[in-house]
Each structure stands twice: as structure tokens, then as C-alpha cells.
Amino acid sequence: MEAKSRYNVAIVGATGAVGQKMIEMLEMVEFPIEELRPLASKRSVGKIIEYSGRNITIQEATPEAFEGIDIALFSAGGSISKQLANEAVERGAVVVDNTSAFRMHDDVPLVVPEVNREALKNHKGIIANPNCSTIQMVGALEPVRQKYGLNRVIVSTYQSVSGSGLDAVEELKDQSQAMLDGTTVNTEIMPVKSEPKHYPIAFNALPQIDTFEDNHYTFEEMKMINETKKIMEAPDLSVAATCVRLPFFYSHAESVYIEIDDDQVTVPQMQGAIKEGQGVVLEDDIMNQGYPTPLSAEGKLEIFVGRVRKDLDVQNGFHLWVVSDNLLKGAAWNSVQIAQTLIEMTTEQ
């Protein structure tokens, strides 16, 4: 990418939950934008968004819409990314893709800037933004890995409905009210809209995020497993995941068990390592019931870690509680950070 003072930026999926947050993040950091080009499907063409006090009309996401674009942030679903990402690259854009379409491609960097920014040097036009749950976990674990090594990870997630989109947020609202009113509960989206069977998410817990694979893990669980190994460049790292959807709107929480190389590490030492992580905030004051929650993390850019404790049976084992806003650090903010880092690296050359 050529170094410039200002850049033409496209947002693909500008009307979606993540696309809207991308626009907010670009405005918040005063990203050096010459032109912002919001793109979406035909049904959204002509709608107006506001950016930096200006009204901008949404255009249809077509190959031709990327003419003159320097950076394209994609968040419109994997099928759209597969159709249009390479079209954008052919027209000179660098694509930051927030879907699973390219994450495991060998020639596509999968990047969390605080963890593996150097991987950006090897991009060939497309850069993948990891899964939201993966981002917050590897961000929390990287400072630990750097200091004490890492050889096993077992994670159970507690994920908000916004990870399934704005329609899922509305479904939770409607179902909650219906249950309180004692009226009929409609189930159309959760756990997976394309699946034949749906369950209520209100006042419930659904141990299925995405479709099941042949190995009995869900696609979401396999994303966490495979993406963690790729980002950390640790193919032999033992990773297992169980992903669960819970009835709250925003932010994901995770119970993470890890085994490190050093079996003499104390809880204060582990807390100290976590504190050193970029973009990581330690909230671990059990004497005053201090720990992060999905509500306390909502709207914030950092990854929050609490409940740090040593395993009672495994000398080199630790348990962590990790929380972050899935639409921000888990998606929109990480994508914008990738774009910012690209610019920094281009300027440094």
C-alpha cells in the first residue's frame, strides 16, 4: 500500500452492527480519510449515514464500487467477502475482512495487532480479522505466553446475542417480553438461523454457536481452536473450546484454563504478566468483588481479565476470566487497528 496523507476507505456492510461500529471507530480515532465510501446491498442503497458532520449516501457493493479505494473494511458476511474481496484487491485496495472467509488461508495473515502485527508484512492484499472470541483470548494470553510459555488452553465462552447480528438482539428483546407477559414465544434465529430447529434464547443457555462439524465441535469452536494456533504460530498448542450463547446483548465472556511452561509461577506474578499486555486491563480485586462483566466491558476497547487463580491440582495450571466488547475489540476496533497499523508500517518503510 502506498503511503499517503489521507486514504479512501470503503466499508462493506455499512448498515450492519459491525459496519456501524467501524464507522464510529474511524471517526473516534480521526482516521486520515479523504473519502469514506459506505457500501451495502441493493436494499440499503440511498440510505444516509453521518460521518464527521457530513451526510454520506450508501452505495451498492459491486466490483466497480472499489475503484480508487485504498482500504476496504469488510463485514457483510463470508459469501460477500468471497465475491468481492479479490475484486477490491484487483482495483488496488487492501482488504481487512471481518468474516471467516479467508482466515485459514495460508497466504492471508490473521492479525491481532497487539499479538502479531509483524504478520501484516506478508499480506497479499487481504488481511483477516479473527473471530471475536479468539481475539480477546489471544490478546489476554499473549503477555503470559511471552513471559511463561503456553502449552495448553481450554476455554468455555459465554457469548452475547449480538454475535449473531442485530436481528438476534431484537429476538432476545421480543422473547424476554413474551415470557414475562406469558404470551407465545417466537423462535426464528437462535442458535443458528439456517438450521431447521430453533430454541428460545431468553432466560436460556444454548451450547451451540454455528453449525456442528463431523468431530462434534461447532464451527465456532473450531474457529477458536484453529485461529489461536495460527495467530500464535503454535501448531502444536493444545486448544479446546466450548462455545455457549447466553441471553445478554453485548460483550463476550470466557472462562480460560491454561497450562504454562513454568510450574513455579505465583498468582501475583501471573497478574503482573497480564498487566503488561497491550490493550489488556487487569480487573482482579476479589476483596472488593472486583472483576469484569459483559455490562462493564460494553462500549470499551480493551480486553479485561479477572479471577486469576492457580489450579488446585495442576501446578502449572491457571484459570482466567476474560471479557471484551465483541463488536469493538472483537470486530470493528480490531479491524480499524489493523488499518492503522498498516499505515504506520507503510510510513516507516
Side-chain angles (χ1 to χ4, degrees), residues 27-322:
E27 186 167 10
M28 182 194 74
V29 300
E30 298 181 349
F31 198 89
I33 289 180
E34 178 67 31
E35 178 194 351
L36 179 67
R37 196 175 298 173
L39 304 175
S41 63
K42 278 185 179 179
R43 65 178 178 272
S44 295
V45 171
K47 291 181 180 178
I48 302 295
I49 65 160
E50 185 177 324
Y51 181 81
S52 293
R54 293 176 290 149
N55 289 330
I56 305 175
T57 303
I58 293 175
Q59 302 177 36
E60 184 179 356
T62 64
E64 294 72 28
F66 296 99
E67 295 291 347
I69 292 296
D70 301 302
I71 301 170
L73 306 182
F74 274 65
S75 189
S79 61
I80 300 299
S81 293
K82 289 174 182 177
Q83 290 174 29
L84 294 176
N86 284 305
E87 296 282 358
V89 172
E90 287 178 9
R91 288 163 174 79
V94 175
V95 168
V96 180
D97 183 48
N98 193 54
T99 76
S100 61
F102 302 102
R103 287 175 186 159
M104 297 311 298
H105 289 207
D106 290 339
D107 60 347
V108 175
L110 184 64
V111 178
V112 179
E114 298 91 338
V115 177
N116 63 334
R117 79 192 299 268
E118 293 301 307
L120 290 172
K121 294 179 179 178
N122 301 318
H123 83 80
K124 295 178 172 59
I126 298 176
I127 300 153
N129 196 64
N131 175 267
C132 47
S133 300
T134 305
I135 289 173
Q136 68 187 65
M137 186 174 77
V138 299
L141 296 185
E142 180 61 14
V144 176
R145 185 175 78 105
Q146 290 291 339
K147 197 157 190 175
Y148 298 121
L150 188 65
N151 54 59
R152 189 174 193 186
V153 179
I154 301 174
V155 56
S156 296
T157 72
Y158 308 78
Q159 297 180 225
S160 65
V161 295
S162 58
S164 284
L166 293 175
D167 288 345
V169 172
E170 292 305 312
E171 181 172 77
L172 172 57
K173 291 178 183 178
D174 293 343
Q175 288 180 358
S176 299
Q177 192 61 58
M179 286 191 180
L180 292 171
D181 293 342
T183 57
T184 301
V185 176
N186 293 319
T187 56
E188 297 179 359
I189 296 173
M190 305 302 294
V192 182
K193 189 173 184 179
S194 61
E195 292 275 86
K197 185 179 286 187
H198 301 104
Y199 296 102
I201 183 61
F203 305 100
N204 206 3
L206 302 179
Q208 179 189 0
I209 299 180
D210 218 313
T211 55
F212 286 104
E213 305 284 284
D214 291 340
N215 63 1
H216 296 198
Y217 284 76
T218 65
F219 187 46
E220 179 86 356
E221 291 160 354
M222 291 310 302
K223 282 188 282 189
M224 289 196 74
I225 292 166
N226 294 326
E227 290 175 22
T228 298
K229 295 181 180 187
K230 180 175 179 177
I231 293 165
M232 291 186 162
E233 297 182 1
D236 296 327
L237 178 65
S238 295
V239 186
T242 301
C243 295
V244 182
R245 191 78 71 189
L246 290 182
F248 50 89
F249 296 129
Y250 302 105
S251 302
H252 293 342
E254 299 170 347
S255 173
V256 185
Y257 169 76
I258 60 172
E259 292 177 5
I260 58 177
D261 295 339
D262 189 338
D263 64 6
Q264 299 301 310
V265 176
T266 65
V267 168
Q269 287 174 323
M270 178 62 70
Q271 291 170 323
I274 292 166
K275 273 185 181 179
E276 295 173 8
Q278 295 181 47
V280 179
V281 176
L282 181 72
E283 286 188 356
D284 196 14
D285 181 11
I286 58 172
M287 297 302 293
N288 295 295
Q289 292 181 272
Y291 42 76
T293 68
L295 276 178
S296 67
E298 186 179 330
K300 297 176 182 175
L301 306 181
E302 298 86 0
I303 298 163
F304 298 90
V305 182
R307 297 297 319 279
V308 179
R309 59 204 187 278
K310 202 172 178 78
D311 190 80
L312 298 178
D313 300 301
V314 180
Q315 191 65 20
N316 64 333
F318 280 85
H319 298 268
L320 315 173
W321 175 250
V322 182

